[in-house]
Amino acid sequence: MRVLSLIISLLALWGVSTLFGSEAHWQIDMGSFGLEGVVIGLKATALANFFALLIAIGFFSISLIASKYKLSKGFYALLYLLLVSLFLIVYAEDYLLFFVGWEVMSVTTYLLFSYDLSREALIKYIVFALASAMSLLGGIMVLYSASHSFLYTDAHQGFIALSATLQVIFILLMLFAFFIKLGVIGFHYWLMDSYEQSSDFFTPYLSAVLSKMGIYALIILLVYVVDIHMISGTWLAYTLAIMGLLSSIIATFKAVNEDSMKRLLAYSSIAQLGYIVTVLSMADGLGGALYHSLIHTLVKLLLFINIAGIIYMTARSKFSELGGLIYRMPQSFVLLLIGIISLAGMPPLAGFASKFLIYTTLLEGGNLLILSAMLFASASAFLYIYKLIYGIYLGHPTSKRYETIREVPLAFLIPQYLLSLLLIVAGVYPGIVIPYFNTILKELRLETIPFESYTILGSEMASYNGFVLMSAFVGVFVLILLFMLSLRSKAKEAKDRFDIAYCGEVPDEGTHLHYGFSMGKELKRVGFIGVILRNSSSVFYDYISRQLFGFATVFRKLYSGNLSFNFNIAALFALILLWWGLR
Amino acid sequence: MDEGFLKEQQVMESDLNSETSHKSSVDFLMDWFRRRSIFVLAYGTGCGAIEMPPTFTSRYDAERLGIRGAATPRQADVIIVSGYCSYKTLRRIIRTYEQMANPKYILALGSCTVNGGMYWDSYNTIKRLEDYLPVDMYVNGCMPRPESILEGFMALQKEIGDGKISSWQKYEDNYAFYRKNQEAVLGQTVAPAYDADWYLYDGGL
Amino acid sequence: MIILDLALMLITAYFVGFIYYGLYRNITARFQRRIGPTIFQSFYDSIKFFGKKEAISHGWMFYLGPIIMATGAIMTLFFIPFFYQSESFSGLSGYGNLFLVLYLMLLGPLGNAMGVGVGGNPFGVMGVTRGLTRLFALELPFYIAVVAIMSISQSADIATIAGSQTTINAFAHPLLFIAALFSFVAMMGQSPFDVVGAPVEVYSGPASEFSGKFLSLLMSQSAIFSFAKLVLMVNLFLGGADGFFELLWKTFVLFLFVIAFGAIYGRFKTPQSVDFLIKVPTVIAIVGLIFATAWGN
Ligand code: SF4
């Protein structure tokens, strides 16, 4: 099975790559099946290919670590079904197939979750997934009422033909559906538990790929239906910008306070997707959104696989139970370091390129407050980013076991090496993906990103040279290193991890030295951050569920358990209806 | 000057002076810088600790001589043992001293560090600090005023500048002796073995 | 040629930075009615630590931590042009922009945080946490001000921003300047925002485990970094410089202000400083931004 999954993932990668540049197109008129005028089709557009590539990369990465997990045949079967549904979503040319793909994706995810999740988390997930699907269906129906076609090509005509109220309803229904998948803050209630409890094998895919379907759907909505050229200044743009920013800021501070590695990364995922949602509120933002989607996919795959390796070796998933693994697992440490540098958007690596593109678009669009809020959110992210690496690798081990633990297996390291290589290459050559993005943008008739050479990214307002940056960085680093090594003063290696300046005291096994993992607790005392940390959307959803429960008890009263009585009532209703209908 | 204590002093000093001529130019330069920059561990024992704040603040302003405080032993050059030390304090002093980076110096204040002073017959203080750690400079008095402490520092600086001090070397070379004395009052739990790694790890015990 | 330029920039920043640090100590001493050390004192300290016979190390990441920090500082310096017109002393600024500099400024502290974390000293981590907490608070007003400046000059190129000021930004947009100054005081680690390396509270914070040459490297990079930050502020708000003399007096005036500010205030607690920074300067900055964009042009 493991080998098969690897082969299938390679096939998927190869298949997607063959579609690049091709105009593969397949359409069928459902008239012959009794559905007059319904045309469905698949089309390999450049945009679809890009997201298909993300799907394939994600699947390839997790199929590399599959050998370390005991997964049943059913699990694999569902995984392949999920893969098919994802490809269906991206390659669909109409909302009907898109909906089918979306629904199959939601249900297969549910079934995959059912292997690991607790009952409560499962119910949360399925309720939200169904709400998303239903509202998507509603949105599609509203659109169909005007366009009488499911095809994306007719969607814009239909949208314009809708009355103003129906337009708003349509957009709200669609946004609701996609925000749930993206886990935009307020709609993320299902997401935390699902991320935390799902199999470590599946979480990378969940964060890196499944959430990107929300982005893809949003892009489809904005580009094909609403027409992104007209978006600026509308309420839709403000909704996207505000929801995106709220996601990034709130999720960032929430992440700081988490003790579980996977929950922290789940919040980080919400925050990063928030940037993408924000930047989609601008007509020029699509390039930045695509770039950031790419980087986020690579980074989150890397980070979640890294953490999967840690959990595989230690069977612990909380910062308070880990620590001090760096010299036991140096390779994992360096790989996670590359991951977090990219996540933070630090210059020499690729994370900076995508953020830079987003920032320049915002600056050129004159969205200054959004830009500063986004910079603020990404500066705040350092806290949880440091917590992530400190809690696992730095500080002191919280268990004696970790002093003899070994490096994670090669199966976990290989995908991480590949991903970090991609990140480094994209850091040195930040413009390397721009030509491809430009074909996407041209296809969508949007303004392209200025492109000079592979090493340069940016426009006339601001640009930077990744190659110069990286070589200067490496050069300065090596020079300082050589200088330090050449000094007569020798670096005396500490013989014991307790050899620390500790106010004259001698710490030992019993001393609690790894308390840095709880950093972020003091933020509760800061005004508005405290407000964020103390409140949660669960209050709202609990309220809703209580109300629903109360509502349901009223209905339950009708069903007393006495069958004949209920039958009589039903018959009465039927009679009344019949009479009303006849009249 | 031809006899007695002063003569003896002269003989000793000439001996040290002849040694300085062998210094390499780098050493000479480094000593010059070491002399001008002295980080003192913010650590006080005994009564003398009360004299240190005035020494370092506006009234006497030790910083004009390049002397300033450091919070952790990793950054300090000088540790001041400012008076009597009980066994409990001694353990911390030893631990801290061993954590300081070479070259490091000890300045001892007051008569208590020389011979026990008025704590001579106390049940829980040590008498001669010299037995436990290599002292570079004594400042006498009970307790010494900030002026004397500054003078002590200046004398220390002069010796550092001349490259005469190698007490940390003495400590490492004669570790067995010091360790024996330390264990005599503190038992086996003096300082952890990794502190004295030059002795206990590299072919020592 | 460019190598020579970079080397000259580095040397200038190194010496000027150390002399500024010496002046800082001397002037603070005068504020406290002391004589204070010579202006070369920080330089002596640094060289002495380079010459320590040994320095404790906790493995390779500990060794690399200060090096990454110094690399970050030097990179920041290289991407900030000293003068807005001249070819020389512009370093690599042609290959970068203000966003890059803003991020490079954060690179060093994050790299050093790795070294601190691996050192295993809990006080160090406490200092890092304080630093990162203060960081996002101080960045908020600073970013708003900087973004407004970028929008006003319609460029993210530092030399262009510096050269395009007819009246210097500090006078043309005083609110933005004031907001940025608060952040700048915090960035320079001055009171009342000096929560990171507080010697009595957190055992000198991130530096608590660094000794000898590592500490010295940290001191040197902090001198270089401070000068880089000063030059950045001069470029953004004080109209840049056209020659060494102008650069020196402008940076010095700014530096003097920071010293004076720091000398008269006590220290905030960490939550207090965050609370202050995300309230007062941020509101000032937002008002300044609205003025600058809505009514400014
Ligand atoms: S010498 Fe005098 S002042 Fe100093 S510790 Fe002893 S008794 Fe106290």
Side-chain angles (χ1 to χ4, degrees):
Chain A
M1 284 313 274
R2 296 158 187 169
V3 181
L4 182 66
S5 77
L6 202 58
I7 291 170
I8 288 185
S9 70
L10 282 173
L11 273 179
L13 263 179
W14 173 78
V16 170
S17 65
T18 55
L19 287 173
F20 268 72
S22 83
E23 292 286 304
H25 190 191
W26 170 82
Q27 226 176 29
I28 183 166
D29 192 342
M30 297 293 276
S32 47
F33 299 99
L35 293 166
E36 281 310 319
V38 176
V39 182
I40 60 172
L42 298 174
K43 190 173 182 189
T45 61
L47 181 68
N49 276 335
F50 172 70
F51 278 90
L53 183 68
L54 297 188
I55 295 170
I57 290 177
F59 197 72
F60 176 65
S61 308
I62 61 164
S63 63
L64 282 172
I65 65 169
S67 62
K68 293 295 163 190
Y69 291 90
K70 287 192 195 67
L71 304 170
S72 67
K73 287 200 174 100
F75 197 94
Y76 279 112
L78 287 168
L79 214 53
Y80 302 142
L81 187 58
L82 179 68
L83 193 64
V84 171
S85 73
L86 293 177
F87 281 132
L88 191 61
I89 290 176
V90 291
Y91 283 124
E93 200 202 358
D94 59 300
Y95 265 126
L96 197 59
L97 278 185
F98 177 87
F99 177 73
V100 171
W102 191 268
E103 192 70 329
V104 174
M105 170 182 77
S106 299
V107 174
T108 21
T109 316
Y110 174 76
L111 294 175
L112 285 168
F113 277 164
S114 66
Y115 282 85
D116 305 289
L117 259 63
S118 71
R119 214 175 94 89
E120 194 198 337
L122 265 178
I123 290 176
K124 271 186 201 168
Y125 171 73
I126 195 66
V127 166
F128 274 84
L130 286 179
S132 159
M134 287 310 113
S135 110
L136 177 62
L137 186 63
I140 293 173
M141 287 306 136
V142 170
L143 188 65
Y144 186 76
S145 70
S147 67
H148 304 291
S149 158
F150 288 114
L151 289 176
Y152 295 149
T153 39
D154 304 328
H156 184 56
Q157 299 302 327
F159 179 72
I160 290 175
L162 284 174
S163 74
T165 351
L166 278 181
Q167 281 186 351
V168 173
I169 290 175
F170 165 73
I171 290 177
L172 284 183
L173 284 170
M174 296 301 253
L175 284 189
F176 183 72
F178 304 148
F179 278 2
I180 285 178
K181 182 88 311 197
L182 283 168
V184 167
I185 212 87
F187 303 86
H188 69 297
Y189 191 48
W190 63 275
L191 187 144
M192 306 308 299
D193 288 350
S194 312
Y195 273 54
E196 189 188 13
Q197 297 174 12
S198 62
S199 155
D200 302 328
F201 162 74
F202 188 54
T203 328
Y205 205 61
L206 196 59
S207 164
V209 177
L210 288 189
S211 61
K212 294 295 170 309
M213 290 305 108
I215 297 291
Y216 177 73
L218 210 52
I219 292 177
I220 292 288
L221 174 72
L222 292 174
V223 174
Y224 289 138
V225 187
V226 181
D227 190 2
I228 202 160
H229 293 292
M230 309 200 299
I231 191 178
S232 73
T234 60
W235 65 271
L236 175 58
Y238 286 116
T239 314
L240 287 176
I242 289 171
M243 290 310 288
L245 280 181
L246 280 182
S247 288
S248 352
I249 293 175
I250 295 178
T252 300
F253 285 117
K254 288 262 187 198
V256 178
N257 230 16
E258 284 297 341
D259 188 26
S260 151
M261 300 189 283
K262 286 171 89 177
R263 283 178 80 91
L264 185 141
L265 279 183
Y267 271 127
S268 147
S269 203
I270 295 176
Q272 298 291 320
L273 293 172
Y275 297 137
I276 305 179
V277 172
T278 309
V279 81
L280 278 177
S281 69
M282 300 173 41
D284 303 335
L286 195 60
L290 291 176
Y291 209 154
H292 204 64
S293 302
L294 174 66
I295 300 298
H296 181 244
T297 302
L298 300 180
V299 169
K300 276 288 144 61
L301 280 172
L302 173 55
L303 294 182
F304 270 114
I305 290 178
N306 194 295
I307 280 180
I310 297 292
I311 298 178
Y312 179 80
M313 290 307 288
T314 64
R316 295 282 181 278
S317 61
K318 290 204 165 83
F319 296 118
S320 48
E321 297 165 343
L322 289 160
L325 295 176
I326 169 169
Y327 295 128
R328 310 304 313 164
M329 307 181 173
Q331 299 184 49
S332 296
F333 169 78
V334 172
L335 291 166
L336 187 74
L337 190 60
I338 291 174
I340 64 165
I341 288 175
S342 309
L343 182 66
M346 277 297 176
L349 296 188
F352 179 70
S354 65
K355 281 204 172 151
F356 174 72
L357 201 57
I358 292 179
Y359 294 155
T360 39
T361 346
L362 285 169
L363 183 64
E364 279 163 15
N367 298 323
L368 303 183
L369 277 178
I370 297 179
L371 174 54
S372 4
M374 204 179 253
L375 281 163
F376 169 65
S378 55
S380 320
F382 289 123
L383 253 178
Y384 75 71
I385 283 169
Y386 182 61
K387 180 173 181 165
L388 180 66
I389 198 160
Y390 175 82
I392 304 172
Y393 291 101
L394 310 178
H396 291 263
T398 48
S399 155
K400 259 199 137 16
R401 224 154 43 88
Y402 302 153
E403 285 171 13
T404 49
I405 208 160
R406 283 204 315 277
E407 180 65 84
V408 299
L410 209 56
F412 288 103
L413 293 177
I414 290 170
Q416 293 183 56
Y417 273 120
L418 295 176
L419 292 165
S420 51
L421 194 69
L422 287 179
L423 287 171
I424 292 171
V425 169
V428 181
Y429 300 103
I432 201 159
V433 284
I434 297 300
Y436 182 63
F437 286 162
N438 279 343
T439 54
I440 297 179
L441 295 174
K442 265 195 214 106
E443 183 188 85
L444 303 175
R445 289 189 301 284
L446 289 168
E447 204 177 317
T448 54
I449 308 166
F451 175 74
E452 267 177 68
S453 76
Y454 287 150
T455 54
I456 296 175
L457 181 70
S459 55
E460 71 277 14
M461 202 150 156
S463 70
Y464 83 99
N465 189 324
F467 185 74
V468 171
L469 179 67
M470 184 62 112
S471 29
F473 185 86
V474 173
V476 172
F477 182 84
V478 169
L479 281 181
I480 299 177
L481 184 63
L482 289 180
F483 168 72
M484 288 295 273
L485 288 173
S486 70
L487 283 177
R488 287 208 304 175
S489 154
K490 71 171 197 296
K492 193 175 101 181
E493 212 45 57
K495 294 289 191 298
D496 196 292
R497 72 183 169 90
F498 292 123
D499 190 3
I500 54 175
Y502 201 61
C503 307
E505 295 295 327
V506 186
D508 57 18
E509 296 293 342
T511 324
H512 185 31
L513 290 172
H514 190 59
Y515 50 71
F517 66 78
S518 61
M519 66 181 72
K521 283 238 161 42
E522 73 280 2
L523 284 178
K524 279 193 183 133
R525 276 182 263 142
V526 179
F528 93 104
I529 300 167
V531 173
I532 292 176
L533 291 181
R534 274 190 299 272
N535 295 312
S536 99
S537 65
S538 67
V539 178
F540 172 71
Y541 288 112
D542 285 350
Y543 174 76
I544 294 276
S545 81
R546 268 202 311 280
Q547 296 303 315
L548 276 178
F549 195 72
F551 201 56
T553 33
V554 176
F555 274 94
R556 205 161 52 90
K557 292 252 165 59
L558 288 178
Y559 179 72
S560 64
N562 183 340
L563 203 63
S564 61
F565 176 70
N566 281 302
F567 183 75
N568 288 343
I569 289 185
L572 191 65
F573 265 112
L575 273 177
I576 292 170
L577 276 179
L578 200 62
W579 169 77
W580 192 62
L582 288 175
R583 199 178 58 111
Chain B
M1 283 288 250
D2 284 351
E3 55 185 15
F5 178 70
L6 288 176
K7 176 71 187 165
E8 210 178 314
Q9 189 82 6
Q10 240 175 18
V11 171
M12 279 165 67
E13 278 175 5
S14 66
D15 195 29
L16 286 170
N17 280 336
S18 64
E19 206 176 297
T20 54
S21 57
H22 298 306
K23 276 202 301 189
S24 74
S25 54
V26 179
D27 276 333
F28 181 80
L29 208 65
M30 284 327 302
D31 283 338
W32 193 85
F33 280 113
R34 274 182 200 134
R35 171 185 174 167
R36 267 152 194 81
S37 157
I38 290 190
F39 279 46
V40 183
L41 191 72
Y43 182 82
T45 78
C47 327
I50 205 70
E51 295 295 330
M52 270 150 55
T55 315
F56 287 97
T57 47
S58 299
R59 186 75 173 89
Y60 292 98
D61 188 21
E63 201 183 1
R64 73 201 140 99
L65 304 173
I67 301 163
R68 70 181 297 195
T72 85
R74 301 290 188 208
Q75 304 163 1
D77 305 307
V78 174
I79 178 170
I80 301 183
V81 182
S82 52
Y84 68 88
C85 34
S86 63
Y87 297 161
K88 228 170 149 185
T89 321
L90 182 67
R91 175 174 295 142
R92 272 76 182 178
I93 295 176
I94 294 169
R95 164 88 166 138
T96 310
Y97 178 72
E98 287 176 352
Q99 283 192 331
M100 285 160 60
N102 289 342
K104 51 194 172 187
Y105 321 102
I106 298 186
L107 192 70
L109 308 187
S111 39
C112 283
T113 49
V114 181
N115 60 6
M118 63 184 272
Y119 292 88
W120 193 83
D121 51 0
S122 164
Y123 62 96
N124 68 345
T125 58
I126 55 159
K127 291 182 185 56
R128 264 167 58 85
L129 186 60
E130 279 276 16
D131 289 344
Y132 308 95
L133 290 168
V135 180
D136 293 294
M137 188 67 64
Y138 284 109
V139 180
N140 56 6
C142 174
M143 54 187 54
R145 299 270 305 140
E147 292 97 326
S148 328
I149 299 181
L150 282 184
E151 206 163 310
F153 267 121
M154 277 148 78
L156 184 70
Q157 279 180 323
K158 186 163 182 318
E159 302 239 313
I160 293 172
D162 295 346
K164 284 180 190 165
I165 297 188
S166 56
S167 61
W168 71 91
Q169 203 58 52
K170 189 171 135 201
Y171 186 67
E172 293 187 1
D173 294 344
N174 303 317
Y175 186 67
F177 164 76
Y178 287 111
R179 178 87 181 190
K180 192 170 80 22
N181 290 340
Q182 291 166 1
E183 279 179 2
V185 292
L186 299 176
Q188 287 298 317
T189 57
V190 191
Y194 50 78
D195 265 10
D197 54 351
W198 71 87
Y199 185 77
L200 298 173
Y201 277 78
D202 305 339
L205 289 181
Chain C
M1 198 54 223
I2 184 111
I3 301 285
L4 186 70
D5 196 36
L6 295 181
L8 281 177
M9 277 173 93
L10 186 58
I11 291 167
T12 317
Y14 184 78
F15 283 106
V16 178
F18 265 124
I19 287 174
Y20 275 14
Y21 257 82
L23 277 171
Y24 155 61
R25 284 170 67 176
N26 198 302
I27 293 170
T28 319
R30 299 302 161 101
F31 271 111
Q32 298 168 350
R33 295 204 181 172
R34 291 190 281 129
I35 296 168
T38 67
I39 57 169
F40 301 111
Q41 186 59 50
S42 293
F43 182 68
Y44 297 161
D45 290 348
S46 152
I47 299 292
K48 176 204 71 180
F49 278 122
F50 272 132
K52 277 277 200 186
K53 289 215 176 351
E54 61 178 25
I56 195 88
S57 152
H58 293 266
W60 53 266
M61 190 62 230
F62 188 84
Y63 204 110
L64 297 186
I67 298 181
I68 297 178
M69 181 128 184
T71 311
I74 293 174
M75 291 291 283
T76 314
L77 181 80
F78 285 169
F79 280 92
I80 300 175
F82 281 13
F83 314 122
Y84 58 85
Q85 275 175 336
S86 117
E87 269 292 296
S88 53
F89 286 98
S90 63
L92 300 172
S93 60
Y95 300 101
N97 57 65
L98 190 47
F99 286 119
L100 186 66
V101 169
L102 290 181
Y103 266 91
L104 279 174
M105 282 165 71
L106 308 179
L107 179 73
L110 198 66
N112 195 36
M114 302 299 145
V116 174
V118 85
N121 197 322
F123 295 107
V125 180
M126 231 188 271
V128 168
T129 313
R130 282 166 166 235
L132 292 175
T133 313
R134 185 188 66 178
L135 176 84
F136 74 74
L138 74 89
E139 297 294 16
L140 180 58
F142 190 69
Y143 283 156
I144 298 176
V146 165
V147 162
I149 295 294
M150 279 195 267
S151 159
I152 289 162
S153 4
Q154 277 303 305
S155 172
D157 180 46
I158 300 173
T160 320
I161 293 176
S164 71
Q165 305 172 22
T166 40
T167 28
I168 61 172
N169 278 334
F171 294 144
H173 307 284
L175 288 179
L176 293 176
F177 181 57
I178 291 169
L181 263 188
F182 276 114
S183 298
F184 189 66
V185 171
M187 249 185 234
M188 299 289 277
Q190 277 296 334
S191 288
F193 309 111
D194 54 343
V195 291
V196 177
V200 242
E201 293 165 30
V202 285
Y203 213 33
S204 78
S208 58
E209 198 59 22
F210 290 102
S211 57
K213 57 181 177 181
F214 301 115
L215 187 64
S216 183
L217 189 64
L218 289 178
M219 288 165 86
S220 314
Q221 72 82 25
S222 123
I224 295 169
F225 198 32
S226 301
F227 186 67
K229 284 187 276 196
L230 283 166
V231 177
L232 180 66
M233 276 298 271
V234 166
N235 274 326
L236 293 183
F237 290 100
L238 299 182
D242 207 6
F244 262 113
F245 182 68
E246 196 181 356
L247 185 73
L248 286 183
W249 79 252
K250 278 183 173 171
T251 46
F252 186 69
V253 166
L254 202 57
F255 192 64
L256 203 59
F257 169 80
V258 173
I259 296 173
F261 199 89
I264 54 176
Y265 282 103
R267 181 184 303 142
F268 273 146
K269 286 193 238 169
T270 320
Q272 279 174 335
S273 68
V274 174
D275 219 27
F276 177 82
L277 283 167
I278 58 181
K279 276 182 192 153
V280 180
T282 307
V283 170
I284 297 177
I286 290 178
V287 175
L289 178 87
I290 292 167
F291 265 108
T293 49
W295 290 290
N297 314 354

